[in-house]
Amino acid sequence: MSLHGLHVEVVGSGPPLVLVHGWAMHGGIFAPLVEALRAQRTLYVVDLPGHGHSRDCRLPLQLPVLAAALRAALPPAPWCGWSLGGLVALEAALQAPRQVPALVLVAASPRFVQGPDWPQGMPAQVFAEFAAGLATDWQATLDRFLALEAFGAAHMREALRLLRAAVMARGAPDPRVLAEGLALLEQTDLRPRLPGLAAPSLWLGGRRDRLVNPAALQAAAALAPRARWRELAHAGHAPFLTEPATVAQALLAHLAEYAA
């Protein structure tokens, strides 16, 4: 399905569930998780604007715009967001509590970059190096990012292989869109709004994640009502690639508890 150039793949059967990918990726990255969930859920797998099959969609990568556009294209449903996609899912739930009745945030932090009151974030200098590298050699910078996404996973080489294959599977990423995504990650801080989050939320973090400190998810869950967090001991930044059954089980248990 498509609305204003936004591509959403619909697969599976059962109650609806929205999946939103992370920086530089597209919905195809969720293939292992889709296989684990498709018998129990109708999955709406999003390609964000400028990514994958939505590469011709010119909507800006700004959270309020993204969340509103996706809500217009999707039925009421729980949302699961990974990394940057977690910010989009969180914004959608804050905008429209009735349309997003439950949330699962995978390796997603309400503030990506470190601050004086947020030691759990990525050091600002490291983030700045990514932004500078993107301007001079986006391919090498992207590959470094993928290596960090895979690092620490129980099957790290397999995770890196899957990430490298996925990132080019729907065409090469647009450097302009990559830069917009980094800017979104750098500038966003949703922590002040977490106490008003109506949707019950599950925050899943990998103990070996080198991009999003699992302590950030634990701290975020402490700020939101009806929130819990779970650490996956053998996972890195993309646990659904190497432990799809574990992620699916945790996700389905969370949704079943709240009948979402």
Side-chain angles (χ1 to χ4, degrees):
M1 59 180 287
S2 177
L3 180 68
H4 303 306
L6 273 173
H7 176 82
V8 180
E9 182 181 5
V10 184
V11 60
S13 60
L17 173 65
V18 176
L19 300 179
V20 190
H21 64 83
W23 183 74
M25 284 293 172
H26 51 74
I29 193 65
F30 287 120
L33 186 60
V34 167
E35 287 305 307
L37 291 171
R38 62 186 299 163
Q40 296 103 323
R41 289 272 163 174
T42 299
L43 302 164
Y44 291 78
V45 189
V46 172
D47 280 2
L48 290 172
H51 297 73
H53 295 318
S54 296
R55 63 186 303 109
D56 294 329
C57 177
R58 296 303 177 186
L59 287 174
L61 291 185
Q62 298 170 1
L63 278 189
V65 175
L66 290 176
L70 285 173
R71 288 194 299 102
L74 296 166
W79 287 35
C80 173
W82 169 53
S83 198
L84 180 149
L87 291 174
V88 179
L90 188 54
E91 175 67 28
L94 290 164
Q95 283 184 4
R98 292 185 179 180
Q99 192 169 351
V100 185
L103 278 176
V104 177
L105 295 310
V106 181
S109 170
R111 173 172 174 156
F112 197 81
V113 180
Q114 210 172 68
D117 61 344
W118 190 245
Q120 301 92 336
M122 176 184 281
Q125 180 59 36
V126 175
F127 193 90
E129 289 170 4
F130 271 114
L134 194 65
T136 57
D137 188 344
W138 71 266
Q139 291 171 308
T141 301
L142 179 56
D143 198 62
R144 180 185 169 207
F145 192 88
L146 298 181
L148 285 173
E149 286 187 326
F151 188 86
H155 304 285
M156 187 172 73
R157 289 184 180 178
E158 176 65 6
L160 183 56
R161 184 189 69 79
L162 291 170
L163 286 163
R164 282 174 170 163
V167 74
M168 297 294 182
R170 298 183 180 178
D174 183 339
R176 176 190 60 80
V177 175
L178 295 179
E180 283 188 14
L182 278 188
L184 187 155
L185 289 170
E186 181 181 26
Q187 297 164 12
T188 299
D189 185 357
L190 296 180
R191 291 176 302 158
R193 297 168 65 191
L194 285 177
L197 180 65
S201 56
L202 172 65
W203 302 72
L204 288 175
R207 181 180 297 175
R208 301 174 179 178
D209 194 334
R210 293 298 179 270
L211 284 171
V212 174
N213 187 339
L217 283 83
Q218 184 178 21
L223 294 172
R226 294 200 297 166
R228 65 184 63 178
W229 94 287
R230 177 177 171 183
E231 186 176 72
L232 303 176
H234 305 294
H237 188 63
F240 52 85
L241 289 181
T242 53
E243 301 182 42
T246 301
V247 174
Q249 182 182 36
L251 187 155
L252 290 171
H254 174 67
L255 298 185
E257 181 174 350
Y258 293 100

